[in-house]
Amino acid sequence: MQYRSIGNTTVSAVGLGAMPLSIEHRPDEQRAIATLHAALDAGVTLIDTADSYHWHAGEAGHNELLVARALARYGRDTSHVLVATKGGRGRPGDGSWTVTATPAHLKRAAEASRRRLGAEAIGLYQLHKPDPAVPWAESVGALRELLDAGTIRAAGISNVTTGQIREAHAILGDDLVSVQNQYSPAAREREPELRLSTQLGLAFLPWSPLGGIRRSSLDGPSAPTSAGTAFHRIATERGVSPQQIALAWLLTRSPAVIPVPGASRPASIQDSAKATELELSEADLARLDGAP
């Protein structure tokens, strides 16, 4: 396993996106716990969750509670594992997603997440999405208050523009440590945010990092999965999965990149973790950079 930094914390270069373990079509708890334990066994030390990762109405925090149970049952030291959670989104239970990023809501949500995770302070708390009804500086200001209160140890922002990154950095300074935006072989529009994050020393955590290789958990069941791309061809040549090639490619984009692929089976995260051992040649990268 290779390692990278989120602020002052060292984590595995590939994390686990825990969302598929709690939303629609989620596995039973036994398999979900086994998936989380398989991630830990593979050397993964970053687990990405959120209070809105649940399926039905009235079960906010389902994924956070699941992660907390898995860590408690692991049987070995997990003090080095960084659990990153998010607040500011909701799920009414009809498949839709809402956004509420008022300071009052974020402070209540962070405290509820802290309790569910059983932590003295949340290691990394990320504002899930800007709320168009709330001035950005006010939402980010709530993160400043949570830091000052000791509820969270570090702050991040998600689904943001370069301008929002700069404004948040001006408010939070070194306590802003991460940006979590969509980025994948099929979704490269966030290059400006990746470049700025690298310049500012912020970790960049791509969500849905396997887009174009397989469907995201946020996509509908009929969404297409690309096949026959350079990622698939190189995977065949190297005798590994296309997912490993995609993650290895992401890791070359910047030392700030820490992908958090989702998984709902132990074998999936075990395969993803192996991407840190894969070295891509200059010829491979030339083909992948121009893919598909």
Side-chain angles (χ1 to χ4, degrees), residues 184-228:
S184 72
R188 308 188 191 190
E189 299 83 4
R190 293 300 195 174
E191 288 278 359
E193 289 80 13
L194 170 56
R195 289 195 297 271
L196 179 57
S197 297
T198 303
Q199 292 168 12
L200 295 176
L202 306 175
F204 188 87
L205 314 179
W207 61 262
S208 192
L210 299 176
I213 304 302
R214 72 178 188 196
R215 287 193 299 272
S216 162
S217 294
L218 288 175
D219 295 331
S222 62
T225 298
S226 299

Side-chain angles (χ1 to χ4, degrees), residues 210-272:
L210 299 176
I213 304 302
R214 72 178 188 196
R215 287 193 299 272
S216 162
S217 294
L218 288 175
D219 295 331
S222 62
T225 298
S226 299
T229 68
F231 291 86
H232 294 80
R233 290 189 288 273
I234 291 174
T236 299
E237 294 165 10
R238 300 290 294 271
V240 299
S241 69
Q243 289 88 344
Q244 279 191 43
I245 297 294
L247 294 170
W249 173 77
L250 283 167
L251 291 171
T252 69
R253 304 303 287 172
S254 164
V257 170
I258 305 172
V260 285
S264 60
R265 298 180 299 114
S268 297
I269 188 56
Q270 290 167 342
D271 181 72
S272 291

Side-chain angles (χ1 to χ4, degrees), residues 99-104 106 127 129-143 164 167-168 171:
V99 181
T100 307
T102 62
L106 290 172
L127 200 165
K129 188 175 184 179
D131 185 340
V134 180
W136 179 236
E138 292 185 14
S139 296
V140 176
L143 298 180
Q164 289 165 334
E167 188 173 358
I171 294 169

Side-chain angles (χ1 to χ4, degrees), residues 146-147 159:
L146 289 166
L147 287 159
N159 298 299

Side-chain angles (χ1 to χ4, degrees), residues 15-22 27-49 62-74 76 78 81-83 117 261-270:
L16 170 66
M19 182 176 71
L21 302 176
S22 288
D28 61 35
E29 180 158 323
Q30 182 178 0
R31 194 176 93 186
I33 296 287
T35 300
L36 286 157
H37 286 177
L40 299 173
D41 289 343
V44 171
T45 63
L46 170 64
I47 299 175
D48 177 74
T49 182
H62 182 282
N63 199 241
E64 293 172 326
L65 290 168
L66 179 67
V67 169
R69 286 196 296 274
L71 292 174
R73 297 176 189 175
Y74 186 54
R76 278 173 271 173
T78 59
V81 176
L82 176 63
V83 177
L117 293 171
S264 60
R265 298 180 299 114
S268 297
I269 188 56
Q270 290 167 342

